[in-house]
């Protein structure tokens, strides 16, 4: 399920990327063709202002909840909504000054499109890293602290970050005087403590160093 959430975030970011390129393409075409000047009714402007306020609130909520729940899909959607708000604000500004500078609307669209593209690529990088199972350095630090506290000799540690979850593979050294029957108990106790004390840690595999 964690990987499915990351894939959902990837699809959102892909759509976001295509939208950004579309905005850039439209603004560039207008500049090249010299097609400037847009007329909008007062009612349309009012609707735009209301939508900017509402979507601005929604964007902040999505990002805040996404960060709290560590949901890449929700964060991606929130940032996409945030860029939509920025784009709408840019359009509103462009329309406001287009009477004096007809080119302003097209330039605004191009600038906002480039910013949107930058944000989409930044978010896409984070999601791609999750899809490629990069290490979770924060979880690794927590595991090392717990092992140190429990006086466990950690020989090797690998983690994989998938969305809001992390998986760990540990290799520990056990003193020769510890009985074979006790080793399994030590491993079970350590794994349980790690899962209980590290919120993001979903699964742990522990091996004894040969």
């Amino acid at each position: 399920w964690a990987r499915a959430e990351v894939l959902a975030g990837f699809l959102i970011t892909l759509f976001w990327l295509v939208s950004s390129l579309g905005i850039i393409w439209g603004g560039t075409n207008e500049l090249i063709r010299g097609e400037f000047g847009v007329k909008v009714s007062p009612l349309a402007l009012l609707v735009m202002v209301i939508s900017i306020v509402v979507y601005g609130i929604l964007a902040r909520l999505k990002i805040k909840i996404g960060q709290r729940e560590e949901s890449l899909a929700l964060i991606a959607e929130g940032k996409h909504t945030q860029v939509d708000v920025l784009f709408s604000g840019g359009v509103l500004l462009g329309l406001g000054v287009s009477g004096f500078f007809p080119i302003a609307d097209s330039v605004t669209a191009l600038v906002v499109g480039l910013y949107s593209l930058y944000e989409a690529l930044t978010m896409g990088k984070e999601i791609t890293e999750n899809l490629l199972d990069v290490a979770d350095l924060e979880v690794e630090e927590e595991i090392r602290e717990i092992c140190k506290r429990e006086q466990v000799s950690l020989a090797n540690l690998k983690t994989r970050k998938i969305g809001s979850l992390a998986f760990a593979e540990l290799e520990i050294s056990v003193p020769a005087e510890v009985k074979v029957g006790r080793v399994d108990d030590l491993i079970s106790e350590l794994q349980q403590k790690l899962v209980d004390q590290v919120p993001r840690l979903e699964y742990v595999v522990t091996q004894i160093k040969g």
Side-chain angles (χ1 to χ4, degrees):
W1 291 111
R3 193 174 294 279
E5 183 190 22
V6 178
L7 285 171
F10 178 77
L11 291 175
I12 292 170
T13 305
L14 187 61
F15 174 75
W16 180 4
L17 182 63
V18 173
S19 299
S20 302
L21 292 174
I23 294 170
I24 294 171
W25 177 260
T28 303
N29 269 345
E30 287 182 0
L31 288 172
I32 293 174
R33 296 177 182 177
E35 297 175 352
F36 312 127
V38 180
K39 293 184 179 180
V40 183
S41 68
L43 179 60
L45 288 175
L46 177 61
V47 171
M48 187 178 292
V49 171
I50 294 173
S51 69
I52 289 173
V53 174
V54 173
Y55 275 92
I57 295 171
L58 283 175
R60 290 178 63 88
L61 284 174
K62 289 176 183 178
I63 294 173
K64 184 177 180 179
I65 295 173
Q67 290 173 338
R68 186 185 68 196
E69 301 297 330
E70 297 186 347
S71 169
L72 285 175
L74 194 53
I75 293 173
E77 174 60 20
K79 288 191 174 183
H80 182 240
T81 304
Q82 196 173 54
V83 171
D84 282 344
V85 172
L86 178 64
F87 179 70
S88 298
V91 170
L92 194 61
L93 177 64
L95 290 173
V97 298
S98 61
F100 306 97
F101 304 100
I103 197 175
D105 183 59
S106 301
V107 172
T108 301
L110 183 59
V111 171
V112 172
L114 289 171
Y115 175 75
S116 177
L117 180 63
Y118 167 76
E119 288 288 341
L121 291 174
T122 301
M123 192 69 208
K125 179 178 179 294
E126 182 178 353
I127 291 176
T128 302
E129 287 178 349
N130 275 264
L131 287 173
L132 295 176
D133 293 342
V134 294
D136 193 321
L137 300 181
E138 187 177 330
V139 168
E140 287 186 7
E141 184 62 29
E142 292 182 63
I143 290 174
R144 288 192 176 93
E145 286 295 328
I146 293 171
C147 288
K148 183 178 179 181
R149 192 164 59 243
E150 296 296 324
Q151 297 182 332
V152 173
S153 180
L154 188 61
N156 193 21
L157 170 62
K158 293 180 181 179
T159 59
R160 290 183 296 128
K161 184 179 180 182
I162 304 177
S164 61
L165 304 179
F167 300 81
E169 297 177 11
L170 284 70
E171 188 177 7
I172 62 174
S173 298
V174 178
E177 60 269 19
V178 177
K179 295 181 180 180
V180 176
R182 178 61 181 151
V183 172
D184 289 339
D185 292 336
L186 287 173
I187 291 176
S188 297
E189 290 171 8
L190 175 62
Q191 290 182 164
Q192 190 60 50
K193 286 179 181 178
L194 290 173
V195 171
D196 290 342
Q197 296 179 36
V198 182
R200 289 210 303 271
L201 192 56
E202 177 72 8
Y203 187 70
V204 184
V205 174
T206 306
Q207 296 178 341
I208 303 299
K209 184 178 180 182

